[in-house]
Amino acid sequence: MNFTAWRLALLGLGCAAIWAFIEIAEGVSEGGSREFDKRLLLALRNRSDPADPIGPRWVEEMARDFTGLGGIGILGLITAASVVYLLMMRKRNAAVLLGAAVGGGILLSALFKAGFDRPRPDLVSHLSLVYTTSFPSGHSMMSAVAYLTLGALLAQLHKGRAVQAFILAVAILITVLVGLSRVYLGVHWPTDVLAGWAAGAAWACLCWLVAQWFQKRGAVERGVAVSS
């Protein structure tokens, strides 16, 4: 895929993600998503005991493992290590872009949470500690931003299409697992997660487009940003 086609594809995906976020946000603000959220959240709990999630105990523990992959501590560590690696490889501009992408995503997530100020689910017990508002899911949004961006960077180290597709597929899988774990643990409404994925994907696409624009002009080093 040439540069122009790839850029148009990213632009289309980013616009679709923004549209999805707006639609979900409107539904949440108007209360139209309440029944959908309630049904899906309760479907993941024991009918006789809403405090008990479905499945064996090891599934619950695994969900906590997955949710940790979207925590600020893990994402911060992975991002910091990646930035240092890029600096050691003399990819200073790429390191700055990566840091700005993740840092900007964190700020955007905080602004969204403050703006919507949606309470956490009150239908089931929370199986993970929470201390912020609910919409959108910060774990879902930031995992999308960090893992999709890092996946794109790592994919460019390989020329084979199959390897590139595998790397991006793993990045998407991790993002999905983090979001699903938040609903399973009862700390987010399903629409929180959907909105987080949409916002994270939109921000990641924007960052990829910026990286391409700079790369085309020689401001970002080749081999570390999405290219044709």
Side-chain angles (χ1 to χ4, degrees), residues 117-198:
D117 196 28
R118 188 187 195 186
R120 295 278 179 168
D122 55 0
L123 298 176
V124 298
S125 59
H126 298 169
L127 302 180
S128 179
L129 179 65
V130 291
Y131 49 88
T132 60
T133 53
S134 196
F135 187 92
S137 166
H139 278 64
S140 301
M141 179 175 174
M142 288 314 305
S143 60
V145 171
Y147 292 119
L148 294 182
T149 301
L150 288 172
L153 294 176
L154 182 59
Q156 294 312 299
L157 298 177
H158 303 273
K159 294 182 179 180
R161 292 290 181 87
V163 176
Q164 291 178 340
F166 172 76
I167 292 173
L168 291 177
V170 171
I172 293 172
L173 176 61
I174 294 174
T175 300
V176 170
L177 289 174
V178 169
L180 293 178
S181 72
R182 302 303 284 169
V183 179
Y184 182 82
L185 293 174
V187 295
H188 273 295
W189 302 103
T191 45
D192 296 338
V193 171
L194 292 175
W197 283 337

Side-chain angles (χ1 to χ4, degrees), residues 60-126:
E60 181 181 333
E61 191 62 28
M62 186 176 292
R64 291 193 181 92
D65 293 338
F66 288 146
T67 211
L69 295 175
I72 192 66
I74 297 297
L75 291 178
L77 179 62
I78 292 175
T79 301
S82 300
V83 168
V84 171
Y85 167 76
L86 291 172
L87 291 174
M88 293 176 66
M89 296 297 292
R90 301 185 185 278
K91 310 293 185 180
R92 183 175 62 84
N93 293 336
V96 171
L97 274 174
L98 176 59
V102 177
I106 293 174
L107 177 60
L108 192 61
S109 175
L111 290 175
F112 280 146
K113 283 180 174 292
F116 287 96
D117 196 28
R118 188 187 195 186
R120 295 278 179 168
D122 55 0
L123 298 176
V124 298
S125 59
H126 298 169

